[in-house]
Amino acid sequence: MVKHNKLAMKAITIALSAMILLSPIITTDKVFADEPTVTEVSQEILTSGAIMKKYVWKSIRNKKEVTVNGNVVEVDLTNPLVKLDVMSGTNNQFTKKQSVLGMTTETGAVAGINGDFYNTQAEGVPMGPEIANGQLMATPPYLPGFYTFALSKNNEPIVDLFTFQGSVTAKDGSKFTLGGINKTYYWFEPGGEHSHIDAMFMYTNAWGQADRSNDGTTVPTEVLVENGVIKQIAENTIINVIAPKDGYVLRSSGLAADFVKQHMKVGDPLTVDYSVLPQDASKTYDTKNFKMMIGGHTIMVDEGKPAEFSREVDSLCCNRSRTAIGYSKDQKTAYLITVDNAGDSKGLSMTELQQFMIKVGVWKGMNLDGGGSTQLATRPLGETTPVLTNKTETGIQRKVVNGVGVYSTAPKGAVKGLVIQAPSFLFVNEQAALGFKGYDEYYNPLVDTDKIPATWSISNDVGTFKDNIFTPSKPGTAQINASSGTGKQSIAIEVVGRDQIASLKINTPNMVLSQGGSYKLPVIAKTKSGKTREVPAESIQWEVLGMKAEVKNGILNVIDLAGTNQAQLIARYDGFSTMLTIAVGKDKVWYDLEKNAVMTMSRSKPEGVTSSVYIKEDTSKNHYLELNYDFTQGKGTKWAFADFDAGIQVDGQPQFMKLKVNGDESLNALKTEIRDSAGSVFYVELAPILNWKGWQVVTEDLSSYNFKYPITVRSVYVVNEEIGQDERAAKGKIELDDITFTYKGDIVTPSNNQVNLTINKTTVAVNKKNMTLEQAPVIVSGNTLIPIRFVADALGGTVKWDEKERKVTVIRGDKLIDLWIDNPELIINGQRVTAEVAPKIMNNVTVVPLRILSENMGWKVTWDEKTQQITLQ
């Protein structure tokens, strides 16, 4: 066999995850004209003994300043309440890769970074060694220059080169060299030999798949060992099991397979002996008692200075995301480092990474896998789950083989700090239940905070508290205080009023009015600061124009649409208004037994269920359909159908489906089956519970279904779901009549009059007919002001005056405009607009800016400088 110190990986053929290049290869680094700077911009305590610091690196490349975002988790190795350990794949097994956030969440870490390099074409195991929770999970490869980070039993950090020594002893005393534990295949340097030829490797339960490093180069002979006894030998094939927890599988090939055939048999005892050793024989590490160990790549920093790279780094070129680990000169602090190549953060070269590490305090350190693998997850203060902290190079969280986690070992402590949870802003009179998250004296999150007593108060008179319920009484900034134990926190909550709102919108784009219909009316507010949220229904005042209807708790109930083609809804919050003009829908009856009876048949399922349909006549000679059902037999969910003639399509693209239903209080559900022109079938729920008797109209909004028109109604049916059948009637009947589809109507826009007026003259021509204004148009600061009555008389709008607010409201067609005297800010259909000149009162007459008013109401304005004449058309 080749001696250990001559074995090396063939670097030109191995596929390391950090070597996936996203930019051209550069093998030399730019010489900087200016010394790079590293500035700490923030720090956050993660737990007792661990903090995260954020840095910004600035340097000059090609005469341009570049910045790089860096994150450093500092761990106090002298603090007994925190520890470092290795996270592995999923469920602590190799071959089952997972993102760093996934591993951090799964293992309960407060922070985590990605770890070792790995062959992206192989099973997904680390290239280097690994000790996790004090257990050896993988051994070092026989390769030069691959450094390892470890912690001794005394928590002393180590960055050094390690190797492996092991052997297998058969019952007859024969020995064979062990190549490693839980290793994938690799190639030696300089000869390029395959690592698994003529070799024997051990695979434990940490190897999470039954196939062990089979790349097609070698034919495996495997040995299953449990409790030190050979249980099975598979010649020239694999034992298709994951190694048991109390045993292992030996994979051998070539000379090693011959050794198995000659010296091993089922039932024999087998002994393995192995150890991880420093490559420098003069060093005497107690590796058997190491707390953790993780492999990396080249050394980066030694004695606080850039170290000569121990591995070639040409393949790790360019400005990339990077991950590194190291420790301080006094060996009291470990540093977990990531730098990003994402967005404005331009990443670092390998030599720049050395400088960054030194500037943040590293005395000795090495790099870990980088590029697309670089990930940092941290648990924010007071939170119970971690989040991804850095921006990944590829925009996704790559699944990696292992990582380094930071863990709290602290007991549950007393409350130390609170983090108030509240909406970003509130509306006047909106009741908000405020809560908090918090952390204890060890900076670990509090759990079950709803069970922890807290005192709430407000520092100013913007609102009131009842327990933890805050109700703002006026616009402004509410200074909210919470305290529990020694923990205290204050927060400023914006209470928005009219002056803070930029826009207001009734968010019902597909509404079609229908007689008897009910519609939810969400109102969305956007503040001047850019925050958006739905206004609570109780904070909105409604006005309905053009129909008989009412709005309660944000629900519009249409009572009567007789003689109405369109209607308007005005929503007001603290005097800020918006309006929605809605067309009345056009109803078309699809199923009416008096006019166009559609053939109807009964159908039921499963076996044992029966149903029937009949055409019936009431005392007024009106015909309707009766659907009878009997669900007393059969198993599981049960259906009774009234099937319609499949060849009769529904015209156009209806917005709503309505039908009259005489319910039976069975508590069963009523649904309809619709098929579109593409052959897709939709099961549309008309009534989730038949909980009424007597005729009632049920309505379903079809606009949310992705139909390919035209559509066909295949059936209306009653369904009795399997769960909860004992609560619903097994026998009954319902009656159906007048299946109607509602189509969207057209909004009528009023026609524009042609208007001619002249500055300083009271005579105005409207469609060539003269009228006299009470106040002549005047020019103020380059803007024409006209009397408000002109809007009503000449432009055809409706004008309302609010004496208390000194506000003018103009409604014309689907436009609503609010103007305040001496205030240049106008509200036009829910949008805040600033005019150049505010409305004024001149000679006891209210005058308003013509151009902004007329143009927002649909007129084109033309100005003739010579005649001082304005034309609107």
Side-chain angles (χ1 to χ4, degrees), residues 1 50 132 206-207 229 242 296 314 331 465 476 495 600 697 703 720 745 792 836:
M1 294 185 64
W207 186 278
V229 177
I242 297 174
D314 288 353
Q331 296 186 305
F465 263 105
V495 181
T600 309
V697 175
S703 61
N720 188 342
E836 294 181 11

Side-chain angles (χ1 to χ4, degrees), residues 381-383 417-424 426 432-439 449 454-459 465 468 470 478-484 487-493:
L381 192 62
E383 298 290 337
L418 303 179
V419 179
I420 296 176
Q421 295 176 297
S424 57
L426 292 172
L434 305 187
F436 66 88
K437 290 188 177 181
Y439 52 92
T449 52
T455 301
W456 295 87
S457 63
I458 183 168
S459 298
F465 263 105
N468 67 319
F470 173 61
Q479 297 292 334
I480 304 297
N481 311 305
S483 62
S484 179
K488 295 182 180 180
Q489 177 67 26
S490 297
I491 188 174
I493 301 178

Side-chain angles (χ1 to χ4, degrees), residues 543 570 572 575 577 579 788 791 797-802 806-812 815-820 827 853:
E543 182 179 356
I570 300 175
R572 294 187 176 91
S577 303
M579 186 176 74
I788 191 64
V791 177
T798 300
V799 178
K800 295 182 180 180
W801 168 255
D802 186 325
R806 291 167 57 84
K807 180 179 75 172
V808 176
T809 298
V810 179
I811 300 176
R812 183 178 187 272
K815 302 289 192 284
L816 180 146
I817 302 176
D818 282 333
L819 312 92
W820 286 265
I827 299 172
L853 197 66

Side-chain angles (χ1 to χ4, degrees), residues 46 80 83 91 198 237 393 406 512 619 657 768 806 861:
L46 299 175
K83 73 170 186 175
N91 295 325
D198 294 330
T237 187
E393 188 172 89
V406 181
V512 177
T619 56
M657 177 180 179
K768 298 182 179 180
R806 291 167 57 84
V861 180

Side-chain angles (χ1 to χ4, degrees), residues 139-252:
T139 53
Y142 296 132
L143 300 172
F146 275 83
Y147 271 77
T148 293
F149 177 92
L151 289 178
S152 73
K153 68 176 182 180
N154 297 320
N155 233 32
E156 296 168 342
I158 298 162
V159 173
D160 212 335
L161 296 167
F162 290 86
T163 187
F164 169 73
Q165 179 176 295
S167 63
V168 176
T169 303
K171 181 181 179 181
D172 62 7
S174 301
K175 291 187 177 183
F176 197 91
T177 301
L178 191 62
I181 300 175
N182 293 327
K183 306 307 295 180
T184 192
Y185 57 88
Y186 55 96
W187 292 266
F188 303 142
E189 294 173 344
E193 297 91 349
H194 192 282
S195 60
H196 282 47
I197 292 176
D198 294 330
M200 183 181 293
F201 284 79
M202 174 192 287
Y203 295 88
T204 70
N205 186 256
W207 186 278
Q209 66 185 43
D211 189 6
R212 284 159 283 274
S213 198
N214 293 317
D215 66 336
T217 300
T218 61
V219 178
T221 287
E222 294 196 335
V223 180
L224 174 62
V225 181
E226 292 185 53
N227 292 317
V229 177
I230 299 174
K231 296 295 184 180
Q232 184 180 350
I233 298 175
E235 294 187 15
N236 301 323
T237 187
I238 66 170
I239 300 173
N240 193 29
V241 296
I242 297 174
K245 291 184 177 180
D246 58 354
Y248 52 87
V249 173
L250 295 176
R251 184 196 188 280
S252 60

Side-chain angles (χ1 to χ4, degrees), residues 520-560:
K520 189 176 186 303
L521 299 176
V523 179
I524 308 300
K526 183 177 181 179
T527 68
K528 290 180 178 178
S529 60
K531 300 173 183 176
T532 301
R533 193 159 69 81
E534 183 176 342
V535 184
E538 60 270 21
S539 298
I540 295 292
Q541 294 79 47
W542 289 95
E543 182 179 356
V544 180
L545 303 176
M547 65 176 169
K548 188 176 181 181
E550 61 180 4
V551 181
K552 288 186 177 180
N553 299 319
I555 303 294
L556 170 68
N557 296 299
V558 178
I559 300 171
D560 190 0

